[in-house]
Amino acid sequence: MDIDALFAIALEASKSSYSPYSKFRVGAALQCADGSVVTGTNIENRSFGLTVCAERSAVATAVSSGRREFVGIVVATPDAEYPVSPCGACRQVLSEFMAEGAVVVFGSSAKDLVVTTMGKLFPYDALHELKGNG
Ligand code: THU
């Protein structure tokens, strides 16, 4: 997984962000097991709770096109001065499709990347026994 290349792709995806309320752009680049990369961005709504984060938007696009196996994800938050990690809801959704060892990277700039794993971000999966295989 080429983290630097994926960060550049995530940064580019953040330019499509629809975030008129927070003015906080986020882009995500999901590395699929088949070698392809799927992007996502955050899509806000005036009913604030309906906002979709960049990570979940990328997962929705990938799964909608038949891709369910992901090696890792890189998230770019260019409007922050420090790396912003995926929110709790996104950790839950990513864990549906990503193994414990899958790579999760986040950063506000290419020089400021945090590299971790799905297992570290979401260590206690209370619902693991319900995880679907179909
Ligand atoms: N957001 C994401 O898209 N991903 C994250 O990891 C953190 C938060 C979005 C949601 C909202 O549109 C904005 O960033 C501010 O929270």
Side-chain angles (χ1 to χ4, degrees), residues 18-19 22 24 26 41-44 51-55 75 77 84-87 90:
Y18 177 71
S19 44
S22 72
F24 190 81
V26 187
T41 193
N42 54 330
I43 305 168
E44 298 188 341
T51 290
V52 181
C53 292
E55 298 90 325
V75 183
T77 55
V84 174
S85 63
C87 78
C90 287

Side-chain angles (χ1 to χ4, degrees), residues 6 66 70 81 87 92-93 96 109 134:
L6 287 166
F70 310 128
E81 283 165 12
C87 78
Q92 174 74 52
V93 170
E96 187 74 23
S109 85

Side-chain angles (χ1 to χ4, degrees), residues 22-39:
S22 72
K23 308 212 185 305
F24 190 81
R25 296 167 297 170
V26 187
L30 198 52
Q31 177 67 69
C32 304
D34 68 2
S36 64
V37 176
V38 173
T39 61

Side-chain angles (χ1 to χ4, degrees), residues 11-106:
L11 200 55
E12 187 61 28
S14 75
K15 295 179 184 166
S16 300
S17 170
Y18 177 71
S19 44
Y21 306 106
S22 72
K23 308 212 185 305
F24 190 81
R25 296 167 297 170
V26 187
L30 198 52
Q31 177 67 69
C32 304
D34 68 2
S36 64
V37 176
V38 173
T39 61
T41 193
N42 54 330
I43 305 168
E44 298 188 341
N45 192 274
R46 62 189 182 279
S47 177
F48 298 157
L50 298 182
T51 290
V52 181
C53 292
E55 298 90 325
R56 279 178 285 144
S57 140
V59 168
T61 300
V63 175
S64 299
S65 56
R67 285 165 281 190
R68 295 180 182 179
E69 283 179 50
F70 310 128
V71 176
I73 189 166
V74 178
V75 183
T77 55
D79 298 320
E81 283 165 12
Y82 51 86
V84 174
S85 63
C87 78
C90 287
R91 293 179 196 205
Q92 174 74 52
V93 170
L94 290 172
S95 79
E96 187 74 23
F97 299 101
M98 286 174 39
E100 270 182 66
V103 182
V104 180
V105 181
F106 49 92

